[in-house]
Amino acid sequence: MTCAFMPPAQKFSVTTAKTCARAVVLALILAACLCVAPALAADQTDGQTDGQVAEGTGPDASRAARSANATAMREMVVTATRTEREMQYVPSAVSVVTREDIERSPYQDAISVLKDTAGVMVYNGRGPLSTSTYNKVIIRGMGADSGRVLVLIDGVPYADAQSQQFEWSLLNKDDIERIEVLRGPASALYGSHAMGGVVNVITRKPVKEGSTTTLETGFGTFDTWSEGLRHSARKGKLGYTLSGKMTGTQGYATRPEDERSENNGEDVRARREMARGAVTYDFDETSRLTVDTSYGNFRNQGMYKFDPDFLLFTNTDYRGRATYEKDFGTVKTTFTGHAGYTDGKYENPDSTTNPTRVEYTKTGDQWQMGGEGQASFALGDSHFITTGLSFTRNGMDTKYSYRSGARERTRGGLQDVYSVFLQDEMTFFNDRLVIVPGLRYDYWRTHEGFDKDTDLSPTKNEYDAASHSSVSPRVGVRYNVSEGLALRAAVGQAFRVANLNKLYGEFISGSTVYQANPNLDPEKSTTYEIGMDVSNDQGMSVGLTAYKTSAHDYIATVDNGVDAGGNTLKTYRNEDRVDIHGAEIEAAWQFSERWRFFGGYTMTDAEILSGTYKGKRPTGIPNSKVSYGFDYANPALFNLRIVGRTMGSIEYNSANTQTYGDYTDFDAQVSRAFAIGETQLEASLDVTNILNEEIRETKSSEAPGRSFFVTLRYTF
């Protein structure tokens, strides 16, 4: 018997990165269009050749079906075990959004490509204008409160240090090769925040000799525009990628009509800038160094009539990482160092119902740095060991500048996390039975916490250092009964450390002040799940998973009195026990080379079992989602994708007296690529919210109605 997890020798690939050139993009795209027009007229054919069989019949259809399922079984994923594995050896619920899915998705933002993924619910209450707290991924009832779903880029955590929010609006979807979604607790491998699951964004990498350049421009409803440039190249041992994108819109009203007032309800405008740059060098066939950097900025303005340029939020983000990989033959090692800095700013009005002026401006600096080492090796014929350790430091420093100029408020603190993990991938019975136990120990310390307010006495509080630790076990089992049937089960524990914002920060919304609590304990959960994967040679595949999660020490928001100015005070407290159970179904049918249907169903039933809101549902979590769609691929004519989803109800407030959601919407993309010698021109039309439905997931925000976006992309 041989170990199925012995990795083959492979030449290392390249990690991506970007930069932007707006004027060059426009000029070259327009020039390409003018040059290509006559060539297109002379190059049209009827799309059918002599002897072509009817679509969906003959041997091609069955070959396409068998190929689709075989490819799915051989598809490699890295997130479930931190090692590169074929799906048939992974005892976890994993979904993959491929590069083809991303290209065919009718969305401009990266987070929306996850909308139709099984077990995933995307909350972006303001539509394409959503940022920060309005952009979240929810898995298994977790993620509405930031930090319960972990987001990685190439395996590195990229959430902000202050609130553990991942800024999806600064991720360029053109840089993504695929997105792996691991559903279920993953603290045994990744530590804090992986309670509901892990989303790992894998970037595109140049693997072929030579270079490729893509220029892009687009325009659409609400005076929305987009311009981008991507260039990647590989020559011998050296590879690099540069790319950038700029987008903007004159916007739309994000506040629902019944929540508008005389001064509140104007259009919100937005602008985004994204750039990445990466260099990879292969020293030889066994070692590689990658350096990756990124920059992002977004700016949202408007909403309030008293100031058309009111700053809702601006955020500038700088990230960098370096990874060295070395394969010694018997042991494969990876060492990664990473750092990030974010500078944010927003203005707060004197009222959210009928504001007349800016009350204060908040600016915040937050930073993150860390490193990780990992080693993987075979132990005998049936064991493959992965072990590693990591360190991360998070820090924040926030300042409030008031209109009067007399008051000064600052808050800040640091959090250090030390971790070690161990995993064993075991195979038995000719690799049909896979058992993967894992264990991780995390120790963290918060320190140097303070808050200063010249209007209070004492004017400055300094908090004592506090430390906690957590042991997170997990074991997963998969049994491949036959080529088309696999059974799996898992049990695991997970936790979430309170973020710096809840420990030392403060958030103000209108007349409500959310106060920090430096004494918060970590949230913890235990999840049990069972599932099965079924496929056949007719191109059909179905995955089913059922789970139950019990969580305790959930951080709840509770009343804390009224301050001297009459503002309602709320604070955070470890108060709730929560039970969540649900089911996930994903299905696909590739019944010909050109046609593919897919769909999924997600059910989430959550209940608070203790505390102030005992018996209520947690807020922000849809109780169900049904997704469905199809692809039609005919390069001689066009490619088409139509997707739809029906969302269940979403509780807005803790008392469950205000409910939103309950909508159905459809989106579509149609595209056509034209080959011009060795270059290609592609045109696409995206239509979102085809039925012009009201899409409202919260009380104070809504997504726009029907919108169109046209994109031209020239690759050479």
Side-chain angles (χ1 to χ4, degrees):
M1 180 171 59
T2 60
C3 180
F5 299 134
M6 289 294 290
Q10 294 182 358
K11 190 173 181 67
F12 291 110
S13 54
V14 180
T15 309
T16 62
K18 300 50 191 150
T19 192
C20 193
R22 177 180 180 182
V24 174
V25 172
L26 276 176
L28 292 178
I29 285 283
L30 292 174
C33 292
L34 291 174
C35 295
V36 166
L40 295 181
D43 196 43
Q44 300 302 308
T45 67
D46 62 6
Q48 187 172 7
T49 60
D50 293 339
Q52 185 175 11
V53 299
E55 183 179 317
T57 64
D60 287 345
S62 59
R63 280 200 299 268
R66 289 193 296 270
S67 175
N69 282 334
T71 300
M73 292 297 289
R74 292 193 304 269
E75 188 166 31
M76 307 294 284
V77 294
V78 297
T79 311
T81 60
R82 298 180 70 113
T83 54
E84 195 173 62
R85 294 289 165 257
E86 293 181 7
M87 289 280 280
Q88 61 181 321
Y89 298 120
V90 174
S92 304
V94 180
S95 297
V96 179
V97 181
T98 66
R99 180 62 203 166
E100 183 179 28
D101 292 327
I102 295 168
E103 290 175 345
R104 291 184 176 182
S105 66
Y107 314 109
Q108 303 308 303
D109 54 333
I111 191 173
S112 292
V113 305
L114 294 170
K115 284 184 175 181
D116 303 301
T117 303
V120 176
M121 299 180 180
V122 172
Y123 165 71
N124 53 347
R126 293 178 173 175
L129 286 175
S130 298
T131 57
S132 304
T133 55
Y134 291 94
N135 251 349
K136 298 174 183 177
V137 172
I138 300 170
I139 301 177
R140 294 193 174 178
M142 298 183 181
D145 189 1
S146 299
R148 293 188 183 124
V149 170
L150 181 65
V151 181
L152 311 171
I153 296 183
D154 291 327
V156 176
Y158 262 61
D160 68 52
Q162 176 174 299
S163 61
Q164 287 302 312
Q165 291 177 165
F166 181 80
E167 191 50 77
W168 285 95
S169 62
L170 294 182
L171 180 61
N172 185 353
K173 78 169 194 174
D174 296 336
D175 294 331
I176 304 173
E177 177 62 29
R178 68 183 189 277
I179 303 176
E180 297 181 4
V181 179
L182 170 62
R183 305 191 298 278
S187 290
L189 280 178
Y190 296 101
S192 181
H193 310 301
M195 295 183 75
V198 177
V199 179
N200 191 9
V201 179
I202 311 297
T203 57
R204 297 172 68 185
K205 305 166 179 66
V207 294
K208 295 181 179 180
E209 284 286 319
S211 65
T212 301
T213 302
T214 300
L215 308 173
E216 175 188 309
T217 188
F219 55 91
T221 312
F222 312 118
D223 289 331
T224 302
W225 55 269
S226 174
E227 296 161 9
L229 164 68
R230 187 175 189 279
H231 174 73
S232 62
R234 185 174 184 86
K235 184 175 182 180
K237 298 181 178 182
L238 180 67
Y240 68 89
T241 303
L242 301 171
S243 74
K245 198 166 191 176
M246 301 175 66
T247 66
T249 179
Q250 290 302 307
Y252 47 85
T254 62
R255 187 168 288 271
E257 200 166 322
D258 59 0
E259 289 292 316
R260 299 176 192 174
S261 64
E262 180 182 355
N263 286 324
N264 188 349
E266 300 297 304
D267 289 352
V268 174
R269 308 186 310 279
R271 184 183 178 93
R272 309 277 187 275
E273 298 173 357
M274 296 160 280
R276 290 176 65 86
V279 176
T280 298
Y281 186 77
D282 294 348
F283 294 96
D284 52 40
E285 293 287 338
T286 66
S287 59
R288 176 183 64 182
L289 175 66
T290 300
V291 179
D292 188 303
T293 61
S294 65
Y295 160 84
N297 173 267
F298 72 80
R299 188 178 187 89
N300 289 1
Q301 292 178 278
M303 186 176 285
Y304 300 118
K305 190 173 183 179
F306 73 90
D307 182 4
D309 295 324
F310 181 88
L311 183 61
L312 288 165
F313 200 35
T314 184
N315 201 2
T316 304
D317 184 83
Y318 304 89
R319 299 277 174 171
R321 68 180 183 273
T323 300
Y324 177 71
E325 300 171 87
K326 174 66 177 179
D327 191 343
F328 291 95
T330 56
V331 179
K332 183 176 180 179
T333 60
T334 304
F335 302 94
T336 300
H338 59 90
Y341 172 78
T342 302
D343 178 15
K345 179 180 179 181
Y346 70 80
E347 295 175 337
N348 201 76
D350 57 350
S351 166
T352 57
T353 55
N354 197 27
T356 59
R357 66 190 182 193
V358 174
E359 185 65 21
Y360 68 83
T361 300
K362 178 182 176 181
T363 56
D365 298 330
Q366 46 187 311
W367 56 93
Q368 182 184 76
M369 59 178 293
E372 182 175 274
Q374 176 178 311
S376 299
F377 55 92
L379 188 63
D381 290 334
S382 300
H383 299 266
F384 193 81
I385 306 297
T386 299
T387 185
L389 50 84
S390 66
F391 164 76
T392 302
R393 165 167 285 190
N394 297 315
M396 78 166 191
D397 189 358
T398 302
K399 180 180 180 181
Y400 301 79
S401 303
Y402 284 82
R403 179 179 55 85
S404 64
R407 184 181 181 187
E408 178 184 343
R409 243 170 80 216
T410 56
R411 289 172 178 259
L414 296 173
Q415 186 177 77
D416 299 334
V417 184
Y418 304 84
S419 311
V420 59
F421 60 89
L422 176 67
Q423 175 186 262
D424 185 7
E425 299 171 72
M426 302 183 292
T427 58
F428 305 97
F429 308 121
N430 294 321
D431 303 331
R432 293 175 66 182
L433 176 64
V434 181
I435 303 176
V436 183
L439 186 70
R440 177 170 171 135
Y441 173 77
D442 289 89
Y443 169 84
W444 61 97
R445 180 173 179 264
T446 54
H447 56 103
E448 298 187 36
F450 73 92
D451 68 72
K452 178 182 178 182
D453 192 332
T454 55
D455 274 15
L456 301 179
S457 180
T459 58
K460 185 175 183 179
N461 292 316
E462 295 182 347
Y463 301 103
D464 293 336
S467 61
H468 298 272
S469 64
S470 181
V471 176
S472 305
R474 184 186 187 276
V475 60
V477 180
R478 181 185 180 101
Y479 183 64
N480 293 311
V481 180
S482 63
E483 185 176 349
L485 174 63
L487 306 177
R488 48 184 165 78
V491 57
Q493 294 183 342
F495 72 99
R496 179 180 76 150
V497 178
N499 59 53
L500 289 173
N501 204 39
K502 285 183 167 63
L503 292 169
Y504 304 127
E506 184 174 273
F507 174 69
I508 301 177
S509 177
S511 59
T512 302
V513 181
Y514 296 85
Q515 299 177 315
N517 179 359
N519 300 311
L520 291 171
D521 291 325
E523 300 176 337
K524 295 193 175 183
S525 67
T526 301
T527 298
Y528 302 86
E529 67 180 80
I530 57 173
M532 63 186 301
D533 300 310
V534 183
S535 61
N536 63 21
D537 59 5
Q538 303 303 310
M540 296 181 183
S541 61
V542 179
L544 304 94
T545 305
Y547 68 90
K548 178 177 175 57
T549 298
S550 297
H552 61 89
D553 287 333
Y554 246 43
I555 298 174
T557 304
V558 297
D559 293 331
N560 199 34
V562 179
D563 67 11
N567 295 309
T568 300
L569 300 179
K570 293 183 180 291
T571 190
Y572 306 104
R573 189 178 300 161
N574 294 106
E575 183 176 84
D576 293 340
R577 288 188 301 113
V578 178
D579 266 9
I580 308 172
H581 64 270
E584 303 155 348
I585 302 174
E586 56 182 332
W589 184 19
Q590 180 82 47
F591 65 91
S592 78
E593 287 186 310
R594 293 179 178 173
W595 288 94
R596 175 178 177 265
F597 285 91
F598 53 90
Y601 171 72
T602 303
M603 183 274 285
T604 306
D605 187 3
E607 181 182 1
I608 299 172
L609 301 180
S610 64
T612 306
Y613 298 105
K614 181 179 179 180
K616 303 297 184 181
R617 283 179 53 84
T619 60
I621 304 170
N623 62 8
S624 65
K625 181 192 78 170
V626 182
S627 58
Y628 29 83
F630 71 85
D631 289 328
Y632 172 72
N634 187 348
L637 295 177
F638 58 82
N639 295 323
L640 173 67
R641 167 169 286 194
I642 297 180
V643 293
R645 68 199 61 84
T646 299
M647 297 294 293
S649 60
I650 305 170
E651 300 296 341
Y652 173 72
N653 61 346
S654 298
N656 290 182
T657 58
Q658 294 174 299
T659 303
Y660 296 95
D662 284 325
Y663 63 84
T664 296
D665 73 319
F666 291 89
D667 308 313
Q669 183 195 81
V670 59
S671 64
R672 170 71 190 270
F674 303 92
I676 309 141
E678 296 184 355
T679 68
Q680 177 177 281
L681 177 67
E682 181 182 10
S684 64
L685 170 65
D686 299 332
V687 186
T688 55
N689 195 359
I690 294 173
L691 301 181
N692 204 32
E693 292 288 323
E694 179 185 60
I695 300 178
R696 185 173 178 181
E697 297 177 335
T698 71
K699 177 182 178 181
S700 59
S701 296
E702 65 180 358
R706 183 188 303 112
S707 61
F708 303 86
F709 197 83
V710 176
T711 302
L712 293 176
R713 188 176 291 109
Y714 183 58
T715 301
F716 57 95

